[in-house]
């Protein structure tokens, strides 16, 4: 039965903005944004102390304290991925790139531009890497020095089996480089269990800072062996780290306000219980969202076993009245910003579960979806 949707006040964040149900930039807390209202000198002791605190604690997120060092990189997440790949992949090595989405493809492109040789293992966007095939490739191709994997491939929201990948890579004596951009801080990654040389992430995903700073957490002894390997001046992690060791300072202008906001975001991250706390809240968000969308008649791309609690991909309904732009605009008017799909194989859209959002926000979003379907005269659940 179709009821007429009642008009309600649009949902808003603490600062009166629409809620971002996206893979980032995300909705952040008011206190994180408020941290940015001051000016700091980039060589001033107060800022340097704060920056040091940010860098020092990050390896704890992956249980790498002592053995790993954080090397921050100005820019978006891709800057950190490019810095990691072009610093760690040696000129005469070869990198096995595991691809099941756009971010694996991007890594391949970065390596090719840098003139690094690549071997691809590609699976469809809804399929994790074939571990037996990875094992075989590593056994046969002795010139492979490094393996690159994406922890949560945000293209679909799929959770790749990073611990199993790490175990296989270690068994073959190869080195692992991880893009954990959309997973870091919410999905467990343990350097004691599954060894890796470096993991790239950013301030503005599950750590709920603002965009503009990325970082690579590097195994100290592996980073020490990368001198002279980088293909650019700006993205040279060895050099960036050397400057920190020598002066405690960035080589080039740091995004000061972003770092101060990140410091506040990390305080809130630890206060929420670190990875366990954040994973708990995002898992609740994802559960409410996915169950609710299915009840409304939408189909997820992934089965629950493959779904990370980060972002969910839904097939675009084939109903003749369903129009994605109208759907998007109507949700936006109700205070919820969603994301178009990025799949190559199917028409889809995505709804994110990360950022300063609660299960209550997800229930609000579901109500907005329900009202929008009514407005568009699309009855998906009834049509099944
Ligand atoms: C897994 C993954 N890698 C890399 C990136 C690139 O990050 P950015 O868009 O900040 O450059 C993203 C962005 O969503 C991502 O999800």
């Amino acid at each position: 039965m179709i009821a007429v949707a009642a008009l309600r006040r649009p949902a808003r964040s603490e600062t009166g903005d629409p809620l971002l149900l996206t893979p980032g930039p995300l909705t952040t807390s008011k206190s994180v944004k408020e941290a940015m209202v001051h000016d700091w000198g980039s060589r001033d002791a107060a800022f340097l102390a704060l920056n040091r605190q940010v860098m020092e604690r990050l390896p704890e997120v992956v249980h790498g304290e002592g053995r790993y060092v954080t090397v921050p990189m100005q820019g978006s997440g891709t800057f950190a991925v490019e810095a990691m790949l072009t610093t760690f992949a040696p000129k005469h090595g070869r990198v096995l790139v595991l691809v099941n989405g756009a971010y694996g493809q991007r890594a391949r492109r970065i390596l090719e531009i840098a003139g690094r040789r690549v071997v691809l293992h590609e699976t469809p966007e809804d399929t994790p890497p074939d571990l037996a095939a990875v094992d075989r490739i590593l056994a046969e191709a002795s010139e492979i020095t490094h393996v690159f994997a994406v922890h949560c491939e945000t293209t679909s929201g799929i959770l790749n089996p990073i611990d199993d990948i790490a175990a296989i890579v270690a068994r073959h004596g190869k080195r692992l480089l991880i893009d954990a951009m959309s997973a870091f801080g919410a999905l467990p990654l343990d350097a004691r269990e599954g060894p890796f040389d470096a993991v790239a992430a950013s301030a503005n995903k599950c750590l709920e800072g603002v965009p503009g700073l990325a970082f690579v957490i590097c195994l100290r002894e592996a980073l020490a062996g990368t001198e002279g390997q980088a293909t650019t001046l700006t993205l040279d992690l060895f050099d960036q780290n050397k400057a920190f060791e020598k002066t405690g300072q960035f080589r080039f202008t740091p995004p000061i306000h972003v770092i101060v906001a990140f410091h506040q975001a990390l305080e809130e991250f630890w206060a929420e219980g670190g990875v366990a706390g954040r994973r708990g809240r995002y898992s609740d968000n994802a559960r409410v969202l996915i169950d609710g969308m299915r009840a409304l008649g939408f189909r997820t791309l992934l089965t629950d076993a493959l779904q990370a609690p980060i972002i969910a991909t839904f097939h675009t309904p084939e109903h003749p009245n369903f129009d994605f732009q109208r759907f998007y605009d109507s949700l936006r008017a109700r205070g919820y910003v969603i994301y178009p799909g990025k799949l190559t194989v199917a028409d889809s859209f995505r709804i994110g579960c990360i950022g300063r959002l609660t299960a209550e926000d997800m229930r609000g979003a579901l109500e907005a979806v329900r009202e929008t379907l009514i407005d568009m005269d699309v009855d998906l659940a009834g049509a099944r």
Side-chain angles (χ1 to χ4, degrees), residues 23-24 75-79 81 103 106 150-155 179-183 202 204-205 339 350:
S76 84
T78 306
F79 289 67
V81 175
Y103 296 106
R106 190 174 294 177
V150 181
H151 192 176
C152 167
E153 190 25 284
T154 328
T155 306
D179 171 355
M181 205 60 61
S182 61
S202 99
N204 82 289
K205 300 237 186 248
Y339 225 57
R350 292 178 291 169

mmCIF file of all heavy atoms in Angstrom, residues 23-24 75-79 81 103 106 150-155 179-183 202 204-205 339 350, ligand 1:
data_model
loop_
_atom_site.group_PDB
_atom_site.id
_atom_site.type_symbol
_atom_site.label_atom_id
_atom_site.label_comp_id
_atom_site.label_asym_id
_atom_site.label_seq_id
_atom_site.Cartn_x
_atom_site.Cartn_y
_atom_site.Cartn_z
ATOM 1 N N PRO A 23 31.901 7.686 0.776
ATOM 2 C CA PRO A 23 33.174 7.094 1.224
ATOM 3 C C PRO A 23 34.187 8.155 1.646
ATOM 4 O O PRO A 23 35.340 7.837 1.869
ATOM 5 C CB PRO A 23 33.653 6.334 -0.014
ATOM 6 C CG PRO A 23 33.019 7.034 -1.161
ATOM 7 C CD PRO A 23 31.749 7.648 -0.679
ATOM 8 N N GLY A 24 33.815 9.392 1.734
ATOM 9 C CA GLY A 24 34.714 10.451 2.171
ATOM 10 C C GLY A 24 34.961 11.433 1.058
ATOM 11 O O GLY A 24 34.918 11.036 -0.105
ATOM 12 N N GLY A 75 48.224 16.002 1.167
ATOM 13 C CA GLY A 75 47.405 15.642 0.003
ATOM 14 C C GLY A 75 46.341 14.615 0.321
ATOM 15 O O GLY A 75 46.122 14.243 1.478
ATOM 16 N N SER A 76 45.679 14.138 -0.707
ATOM 17 C CA SER A 76 44.602 13.156 -0.529
ATOM 18 C C SER A 76 45.202 11.760 -0.406
ATOM 19 O O SER A 76 46.427 11.583 -0.476
ATOM 20 C CB SER A 76 43.627 13.237 -1.705
ATOM 21 O OG SER A 76 44.107 12.479 -2.786
ATOM 22 N N GLY A 77 44.340 10.778 -0.243
ATOM 23 C CA GLY A 77 44.809 9.417 -0.049
ATOM 24 C C GLY A 77 45.695 8.896 -1.162
ATOM 25 O O GLY A 77 46.670 8.179 -0.918
ATOM 26 N N THR A 78 45.365 9.264 -2.387
ATOM 27 C CA THR A 78 46.145 8.772 -3.525
ATOM 28 C C THR A 78 47.612 9.206 -3.422
ATOM 29 O O THR A 78 48.508 8.487 -3.868
ATOM 30 C CB THR A 78 45.523 9.281 -4.849
ATOM 31 O OG1 THR A 78 44.137 8.903 -4.858
ATOM 32 C CG2 THR A 78 46.206 8.694 -6.063
ATOM 33 N N PHE A 79 47.852 10.369 -2.828
ATOM 34 C CA PHE A 79 49.239 10.827 -2.668
ATOM 35 C C PHE A 79 50.023 9.845 -1.801
ATOM 36 O O PHE A 79 51.201 9.575 -2.048
ATOM 37 C CB PHE A 79 49.279 12.234 -2.046
ATOM 38 C CG PHE A 79 48.808 13.318 -2.974
ATOM 39 C CD1 PHE A 79 47.480 13.384 -3.382
ATOM 40 C CD2 PHE A 79 49.682 14.276 -3.456
ATOM 41 C CE1 PHE A 79 47.034 14.380 -4.238
ATOM 42 C CE2 PHE A 79 49.254 15.269 -4.318
ATOM 43 C CZ PHE A 79 47.924 15.323 -4.713
ATOM 44 N N VAL A 81 49.262 6.610 -1.374
ATOM 45 C CA VAL A 81 49.412 5.343 -2.110
ATOM 46 C C VAL A 81 50.555 5.470 -3.117
ATOM 47 O O VAL A 81 51.422 4.587 -3.228
ATOM 48 C CB VAL A 81 48.088 4.955 -2.830
ATOM 49 C CG1 VAL A 81 48.286 3.716 -3.684
ATOM 50 C CG2 VAL A 81 46.975 4.724 -1.813
ATOM 51 N N TYR A 103 40.611 1.026 -7.167
ATOM 52 C CA TYR A 103 41.816 1.432 -6.438
ATOM 53 C C TYR A 103 42.985 0.493 -6.712
ATOM 54 O O TYR A 103 44.143 0.931 -6.700
ATOM 55 C CB TYR A 103 41.505 1.623 -4.954
ATOM 56 C CG TYR A 103 40.519 2.756 -4.812
ATOM 57 C CD1 TYR A 103 39.176 2.509 -4.502
ATOM 58 C CD2 TYR A 103 40.898 4.059 -5.110
ATOM 59 C CE1 TYR A 103 38.250 3.543 -4.452
ATOM 60 C CE2 TYR A 103 39.983 5.099 -5.066
ATOM 61 C CZ TYR A 103 38.658 4.840 -4.738
ATOM 62 O OH TYR A 103 37.758 5.875 -4.719
ATOM 63 N N ARG A 106 44.129 1.798 -9.962
ATOM 64 C CA ARG A 106 44.897 3.045 -9.798
ATOM 65 C C ARG A 106 46.340 2.726 -9.400
ATOM 66 O O ARG A 106 47.280 3.360 -9.870
ATOM 67 C CB ARG A 106 44.227 3.942 -8.753
ATOM 68 C CG ARG A 106 44.832 5.329 -8.702
ATOM 69 C CD ARG A 106 44.073 6.255 -7.769
ATOM 70 N NE ARG A 106 42.727 6.524 -8.238
ATOM 71 C CZ ARG A 106 41.835 7.267 -7.559
ATOM 72 N NH1 ARG A 106 42.173 7.806 -6.401
ATOM 73 N NH2 ARG A 106 40.622 7.473 -8.033
ATOM 74 N N VAL A 150 44.500 -4.105 -1.650
ATOM 75 C CA VAL A 150 43.588 -3.114 -1.060
ATOM 76 C C VAL A 150 42.799 -3.826 0.029
ATOM 77 O O VAL A 150 42.248 -4.906 -0.212
ATOM 78 C CB VAL A 150 42.628 -2.553 -2.138
ATOM 79 C CG1 VAL A 150 41.700 -1.512 -1.532
ATOM 80 C CG2 VAL A 150 43.411 -1.967 -3.306
ATOM 81 N N HIS A 151 42.747 -3.241 1.208
ATOM 82 C CA HIS A 151 42.066 -3.912 2.330
ATOM 83 C C HIS A 151 40.548 -3.933 2.096
ATOM 84 O O HIS A 151 39.962 -4.994 1.938
ATOM 85 C CB HIS A 151 42.424 -3.188 3.639
ATOM 86 C CG HIS A 151 42.022 -3.933 4.876
ATOM 87 N ND1 HIS A 151 42.315 -3.500 6.127
ATOM 88 C CD2 HIS A 151 41.352 -5.086 5.045
ATOM 89 C CE1 HIS A 151 41.850 -4.365 7.026
ATOM 90 N NE2 HIS A 151 41.260 -5.331 6.387
ATOM 91 N N CYS A 152 39.925 -2.758 2.070
ATOM 92 C CA CYS A 152 38.508 -2.693 1.684
ATOM 93 C C CYS A 152 38.470 -1.979 0.347
ATOM 94 O O CYS A 152 38.857 -0.817 0.261
ATOM 95 C CB CYS A 152 37.689 -1.921 2.715
ATOM 96 S SG CYS A 152 36.032 -1.489 2.135
ATOM 97 N N GLU A 153 38.068 -2.672 -0.715
ATOM 98 C CA GLU A 153 38.003 -2.045 -2.052
ATOM 99 C C GLU A 153 36.710 -1.233 -2.087
ATOM 100 O O GLU A 153 35.602 -1.772 -2.186
ATOM 101 C CB GLU A 153 38.074 -3.143 -3.100
ATOM 102 C CG GLU A 153 38.249 -2.791 -4.550
ATOM 103 C CD GLU A 153 38.916 -1.475 -4.945
ATOM 104 O OE1 GLU A 153 38.220 -0.444 -4.818
ATOM 105 O OE2 GLU A 153 40.056 -1.454 -5.445
ATOM 106 N N THR A 154 36.865 0.064 -1.960
ATOM 107 C CA THR A 154 35.728 0.972 -1.787
ATOM 108 C C THR A 154 34.856 1.055 -3.042
ATOM 109 O O THR A 154 33.723 1.528 -2.981
ATOM 110 C CB THR A 154 36.268 2.372 -1.410
ATOM 111 O OG1 THR A 154 37.467 2.210 -0.641
ATOM 112 C CG2 THR A 154 35.277 3.142 -0.585
ATOM 113 N N THR A 155 35.382 0.605 -4.158
ATOM 114 C CA THR A 155 34.596 0.559 -5.394
ATOM 115 C C THR A 155 33.281 -0.185 -5.158
ATOM 116 O O THR A 155 32.221 0.236 -5.607
ATOM 117 C CB THR A 155 35.390 -0.177 -6.490
ATOM 118 O OG1 THR A 155 36.661 0.443 -6.608
ATOM 119 C CG2 THR A 155 34.666 -0.184 -7.805
ATOM 120 N N ASP A 179 46.925 -0.755 0.654
ATOM 121 C CA ASP A 179 46.083 0.442 0.627
ATOM 122 C C ASP A 179 44.907 0.147 1.557
ATOM 123 O O ASP A 179 44.020 -0.634 1.210
ATOM 124 C CB ASP A 179 45.605 0.698 -0.813
ATOM 125 C CG ASP A 179 44.544 1.800 -0.887
ATOM 126 O OD1 ASP A 179 44.110 2.295 0.166
ATOM 127 O OD2 ASP A 179 44.141 2.148 -2.021
ATOM 128 N N ALA A 180 44.944 0.751 2.748
ATOM 129 C CA ALA A 180 43.853 0.536 3.709
ATOM 130 C C ALA A 180 43.039 1.816 3.885
ATOM 131 O O ALA A 180 42.479 2.065 4.954
ATOM 132 C CB ALA A 180 44.419 0.087 5.050
ATOM 133 N N MET A 181 42.990 2.604 2.808
ATOM 134 C CA MET A 181 42.393 3.945 2.897
ATOM 135 C C MET A 181 41.047 3.954 3.602
ATOM 136 O O MET A 181 40.833 4.719 4.528
ATOM 137 C CB MET A 181 42.221 4.469 1.464
ATOM 138 C CG MET A 181 42.205 5.943 1.336
ATOM 139 S SD MET A 181 43.724 6.668 1.924
ATOM 140 C CE MET A 181 44.939 5.943 0.849
ATOM 141 N N SER A 182 40.114 3.113 3.144
ATOM 142 C CA SER A 182 38.754 3.187 3.679
ATOM 143 C C SER A 182 38.539 2.223 4.844
ATOM 144 O O SER A 182 37.426 2.096 5.341
ATOM 145 C CB SER A 182 37.742 2.888 2.566
ATOM 146 O OG SER A 182 37.953 1.579 2.073
ATOM 147 N N ALA A 183 39.592 1.541 5.281
ATOM 148 C CA ALA A 183 39.450 0.534 6.333
ATOM 149 C C ALA A 183 40.178 0.932 7.611
ATOM 150 O O ALA A 183 39.783 0.535 8.718
ATOM 151 C CB ALA A 183 40.020 -0.805 5.839
ATOM 152 N N SER A 202 44.396 7.618 5.257
ATOM 153 C CA SER A 202 44.259 9.079 5.282
ATOM 154 C C SER A 202 43.492 9.517 6.517
ATOM 155 O O SER A 202 42.847 8.722 7.186
ATOM 156 C CB SER A 202 43.597 9.588 3.999
ATOM 157 O OG SER A 202 42.235 9.826 4.212
ATOM 158 N N ASN A 204 40.918 11.380 6.666
ATOM 159 C CA ASN A 204 39.501 11.743 6.564
ATOM 160 C C ASN A 204 38.560 10.582 6.242
ATOM 161 O O ASN A 204 37.463 10.807 5.765
ATOM 162 C CB ASN A 204 39.318 12.857 5.524
ATOM 163 C CG ASN A 204 39.279 12.302 4.124
ATOM 164 O OD1 ASN A 204 40.272 11.859 3.599
ATOM 165 N ND2 ASN A 204 38.112 12.305 3.530
ATOM 166 N N LYS A 205 38.993 9.373 6.556
ATOM 167 C CA LYS A 205 38.024 8.287 6.382
ATOM 168 C C LYS A 205 37.617 7.820 7.787
ATOM 169 O O LYS A 205 37.027 8.586 8.523
ATOM 170 C CB LYS A 205 38.620 7.179 5.526
ATOM 171 C CG LYS A 205 38.997 7.735 4.138
ATOM 172 C CD LYS A 205 38.335 7.024 3.027
ATOM 173 C CE LYS A 205 38.831 7.492 1.700
ATOM 174 N NZ LYS A 205 37.826 8.221 0.932
ATOM 175 N N TYR A 339 26.084 8.380 -2.819
ATOM 176 C CA TYR A 339 27.185 8.366 -3.774
ATOM 177 C C TYR A 339 26.813 7.552 -4.996
ATOM 178 O O TYR A 339 26.221 6.474 -4.856
ATOM 179 C CB TYR A 339 28.394 7.711 -3.097
ATOM 180 C CG TYR A 339 29.685 8.466 -3.315
ATOM 181 C CD1 TYR A 339 29.800 9.797 -2.953
ATOM 182 C CD2 TYR A 339 30.791 7.839 -3.866
ATOM 183 C CE1 TYR A 339 30.983 10.483 -3.137
ATOM 184 C CE2 TYR A 339 31.990 8.513 -4.044
ATOM 185 C CZ TYR A 339 32.069 9.847 -3.682
ATOM 186 O OH TYR A 339 33.236 10.521 -3.865
ATOM 187 N N ARG A 350 25.927 3.801 -4.191
ATOM 188 C CA ARG A 350 26.539 3.390 -2.923
ATOM 189 C C ARG A 350 26.057 4.268 -1.764
ATOM 190 O O ARG A 350 25.785 5.453 -1.956
ATOM 191 C CB ARG A 350 28.065 3.474 -3.024
ATOM 192 C CG ARG A 350 28.655 2.458 -3.970
ATOM 193 C CD ARG A 350 30.158 2.610 -4.090
ATOM 194 N NE ARG A 350 30.516 3.841 -4.771
ATOM 195 C CZ ARG A 350 31.740 4.338 -4.830
ATOM 196 N NH1 ARG A 350 32.740 3.726 -4.209
ATOM 197 N NH2 ARG A 350 31.995 5.450 -5.488
HETATM 198 C C1 LIG B 1 40.733 2.123 -1.076
HETATM 199 C C2 LIG B 1 40.995 3.529 -1.527
HETATM 200 N N1 LIG B 1 42.211 3.829 -1.998
HETATM 201 C C3 LIG B 1 42.523 5.061 -2.404
HETATM 202 C C4 LIG B 1 41.587 6.083 -2.363
HETATM 203 C C5 LIG B 1 41.973 7.428 -2.884
HETATM 204 O O1 LIG B 1 41.830 8.414 -1.935
HETATM 205 P P1 LIG B 1 41.663 9.939 -2.364
HETATM 206 O O2 LIG B 1 40.394 10.039 -3.147
HETATM 207 O O3 LIG B 1 41.610 10.626 -1.031
HETATM 208 O O4 LIG B 1 42.859 10.302 -3.155
HETATM 209 C C6 LIG B 1 40.309 5.818 -1.874
HETATM 210 C C7 LIG B 1 39.274 6.879 -1.836
HETATM 211 O O5 LIG B 1 38.123 6.657 -1.516
HETATM 212 C C8 LIG B 1 40.005 4.512 -1.445
HETATM 213 O O6 LIG B 1 38.789 4.217 -0.977
#
